[in-house]
Amino acid sequence: MRITRFTRLLGAALLASGLAAAAVVPAAADSTPSPSASEDAAGPTRAGTSFRTATKFEQGQTATARASVGDYLYWSFPADAGQRPTVDATVKLPGTHAAGTWRVDVYDGLRRRQACQYGAQTRTAAADAASVELKCVLRTVRAWAEPWADDPLPGTYYVRLTAVNLAASDLGQPVDVEVRAGSKEMGGAAAVDGSLAEPLVPGVALRNETDDGEEGDGDDSPAAVLADLEPEDGWTSGWWSDRWVWTAVGGALAALAGVAGYRLTRGTGRPSRVPPGV
């Protein structure tokens, strides 16, 4: 009877934990980058020429530009904690060109170049190639990191595309460029204890100064600059992750196991004081 009751309790606990986990895990179970809801929206049709003039676009959008060989092209997009950004770039080359190497680099909000986990960050296009495709998969963005660490942090990320090792005859020829950014949600596996006071976006220092004094007015205010750089769902606080759910489920299972173990081992009650055989 006790064993049957223990089995029922354990089965109910496992069912509850499975339902709780199923409500949290699906977003992290997908192995493909998940674009934002703005996937169908048209992206920008130009590129900046420096960090300060980088063209902004959202994850899931495709930014296009017509440029010349030898230009430095810049775009920027927001990435939040728990995401693993992926940048894809396609360059459509002119009809006649020599062999050349193209490179895509990604920088965080502090303008630190971030290493690619994998992907063809640099590729050499043959003289008869019609296009060249580049890819950079970054490390997972962390909500917080030590000051000396080079970990990706929440904020604006800059994409720089340029050609290297080119023939002088190719400089100035027109090219068409497409850049797309997406991300994969990594869930609680990438969670850390801590968060930044502010995301690393342009104008955050100016906004802090404005908060201490008078607020700015108009579209040129620091608050307006920051609003354009936020993800659709806003910046996460950094403290919540699905690790809290797993911790709660583990605590509930431990409590049930303790109660069930006690009921199995407590016996039928206080032993009789009458010696056997008397």
Side-chain angles (χ1 to χ4, degrees):
M1 183 66 180
R2 296 194 189 100
I3 296 178
T4 303
R5 191 174 302 172
F6 170 73
T7 304
R8 291 177 180 175
L9 289 173
L10 184 58
L14 292 176
L15 178 60
S17 62
L19 292 176
V24 178
V25 171
D30 189 5
S31 60
T32 59
S34 56
S36 63
S38 59
E39 180 178 4
D40 296 334
T45 57
R46 61 183 180 85
T49 56
S50 67
F51 286 103
R52 294 180 61 87
T53 61
T55 301
K56 299 184 294 290
F57 71 104
E58 296 290 339
Q59 293 190 32
Q61 289 183 328
T62 299
T64 59
R66 186 164 181 83
S68 300
V69 177
D71 290 343
Y72 283 82
L73 308 178
Y74 289 81
W75 296 268
S76 65
F77 66 93
D80 207 354
Q83 295 181 342
R84 189 179 68 184
T86 299
V87 175
D88 296 281
T90 302
V91 182
K92 297 179 180 178
L93 303 173
T96 303
H97 63 86
T101 302
W102 290 81
R103 180 183 179 91
V104 61
D105 294 296
V106 183
Y107 299 80
D108 64 5
L110 298 176
R111 300 184 185 179
R112 302 175 301 180
R113 190 176 72 85
Q114 293 295 323
C116 300
Q117 275 190 320
Y118 54 86
Q121 182 182 8
T122 303
R123 269 189 173 174
T124 299
D128 57 348
S131 63
V132 59
E133 296 183 355
L134 306 171
K135 187 183 188 71
C136 178
V137 180
L138 297 178
R139 295 172 294 169
T140 303
V141 178
R142 298 165 60 92
W144 179 86
E146 295 288 348
W148 47 263
D150 194 30
D151 296 324
L153 295 172
T156 300
Y157 280 76
Y158 298 92
V159 180
R160 185 179 73 179
L161 177 66
T162 188
V164 295
N165 299 330
L166 288 175
S169 58
D170 288 340
L171 292 176
Q173 290 201 62
V175 292
D176 292 320
V177 180
E178 294 182 358
V179 174
R180 181 182 177 87
S183 65
K184 174 186 175 184
E185 294 289 345
M186 302 304 295
V192 296
D193 297 328
S195 61
L196 297 180
E198 297 284 354
L200 302 177
V201 297
V204 64
L206 296 177
R207 187 182 70 172
N208 292 337
E209 293 176 0
T210 304
D211 292 342
D212 295 337
E214 298 180 355
E215 296 184 357
D217 297 328
D219 293 338
D220 295 333
S221 63
V225 174
L226 290 175
D228 293 338
L229 297 173
E230 290 184 0
E232 289 188 355
D233 299 332
W235 300 106
T236 60
S237 60
W239 68 271
W240 169 257
S241 70
D242 56 11
R243 291 195 304 175
W244 289 96
V245 177
W246 290 109
T247 302
V249 172
L253 289 176
L256 290 175
V259 172
Y262 170 75
R263 293 178 64 88
L264 287 173
T265 58
R266 69 175 180 173
T268 59
R270 190 170 184 178
S272 176
R273 294 184 178 180
V274 179
V278 177

